[in-house]
Amino acid sequence: MTGELAATEELGRATGPHGEVLLRRRTTDDGGVHLELVVDGVFAMDDVDTSTERLLATETLRRCSGDGLEVLVGGLGLGWTAATVLADPRTAGIDVVELQPALVGWAARGLLPSLAGVSDRRLRLRVGDVVAALAAGPGRWDAVLLDVDNGPGFLVHESNAPLYRPAGLAAALAALRPGGVLAIWSSDPAPELLAELAALPGATDAEQVLLPVQRDGRRYEYAVVLARRGGQRSVGSAGGG
Ligand SMILES: C[S@@+](CC[C@H](N)C(=O)[O-])C[C@H]1O[C@@H](n2cnc3c(N)ncnc32)[C@H](O)[C@@H]1O
């Protein structure tokens, strides 16, 4: 947060099977205006500094070869990762899977500045659980970008816990085309997740990129943990792994 809290304006609030989602605008006494997302009572994010949400996209896509890239992003949040994937001309299609129906509706109404006015046929935004999407799509994507919690050590939904266990990570890896890249955002360095990914059969190039961020006079260290599915991407890949 920059400056003291001066006022908040609720832009949307809804309750569904996965709890409450709240989108609000916060104005600070130093004139800053920021969007804030609270999911199931847990602060999910704001847009004071979206550099690491965008780096999740750029760090992943720069490890992908070729063009015609098919990308999965889970979840939507304030849309910065998705918008950054769309900004890469090599992106042929992007599936954004978001658990909260209300958030998808607010995006469609233009309430998320990152995607406001975006009318792009490559963007497929849908309501769903990314865990199910991963299980349903073996060998489908060149990149899978996951930012559904504050990290494996700070879950927004307890139901996401299996995603970070070996079977969940193996499903995410299997959802990639050969040579594809899996990336997971975390609000803390995640050495255990890195070790899990490195130990997965069929995974190569496991690594952690540390992302220092300065907020409110404090230094935070966020991270993106990545791994590649072994094998070579076939030229003009159009699916199937
Ligand atoms: C921190 S936000 C994502 C921020 C996003 N990277 C951005 O750039 O704005 C996390 C989002 O994941 C969603 N989410 C949580 N669990 C999910 C799941 N299992 N499947 C799909 N979306 C999920 C939340 O509702 C929330 O919108």
Side-chain angles (χ1 to χ4, degrees):
M1 191 180 307
T2 56
E4 290 300 307
L5 182 71
T8 59
E9 179 192 353
E10 205 169 288
L11 302 178
R13 183 192 286 266
T15 305
H18 299 283
E20 186 188 67
V21 57
L22 167 64
L23 182 68
R24 66 185 173 206
R25 184 181 290 134
R26 188 181 69 227
T27 306
T28 54
D29 63 0
D30 58 4
V33 180
H34 299 290
L35 269 192
E36 194 170 272
L37 181 68
V38 181
V39 178
D40 210 9
V42 179
F43 174 82
M45 70 177 297
D46 62 21
D47 63 2
V48 171
D49 183 339
T50 59
S51 60
T52 65
E53 285 82 5
R54 288 178 281 121
L55 277 165
L56 171 62
T58 52
E59 286 291 325
T60 310
L61 294 183
R62 79 182 181 82
R63 288 167 171 78
C64 294
S65 56
D67 51 18
L69 300 177
E70 287 293 335
V71 181
L72 171 68
V73 173
L76 173 64
L78 296 180
W80 291 100
T81 303
T84 308
V85 171
L86 276 174
D88 189 320
R90 296 178 306 145
T91 299
I94 167 174
D95 292 291
V96 181
V97 181
E98 166 57 44
L99 203 54
Q100 301 286 349
L103 190 52
V104 172
W106 297 333
R109 281 171 45 203
L111 290 182
L112 305 185
S114 63
L115 293 172
V118 171
S119 161
D120 193 317
R121 295 164 62 117
R122 296 174 301 163
L123 176 61
R124 302 177 292 259
L125 175 56
R126 63 184 161 95
V127 177
D129 187 331
V130 77
V131 179
L134 288 168
R140 184 155 163 202
W141 292 286
D142 297 293
V144 168
L145 283 58
L146 300 178
D147 180 11
V148 291
D149 294 293
N150 288 324
F154 183 2
L155 303 185
V156 173
H157 297 291
E158 218 28 67
S159 56
N160 285 338
L163 192 55
Y164 307 101
R165 295 192 191 120
L169 297 172
L173 196 73
L176 292 165
R177 294 172 176 171
V181 180
L182 167 66
I184 301 173
W185 189 96
S186 175
S187 61
D188 287 295
E192 287 165 11
L193 176 62
L194 178 62
E196 297 277 18
L197 284 176
L200 276 185
T204 67
D205 305 332
E207 62 179 310
Q208 174 165 245
V209 178
L210 298 178
L211 307 170
V213 167
Q214 198 79 26
R215 274 185 68 135
D216 318 323
R218 287 182 59 192
R219 187 178 185 276
Y220 296 85
E221 195 158 58
Y222 301 150
V224 174
V225 186
L226 304 111
R228 185 184 299 281
R229 180 178 166 188
Q232 290 255 315
R233 181 176 193 251
S234 55
V235 177
S237 181

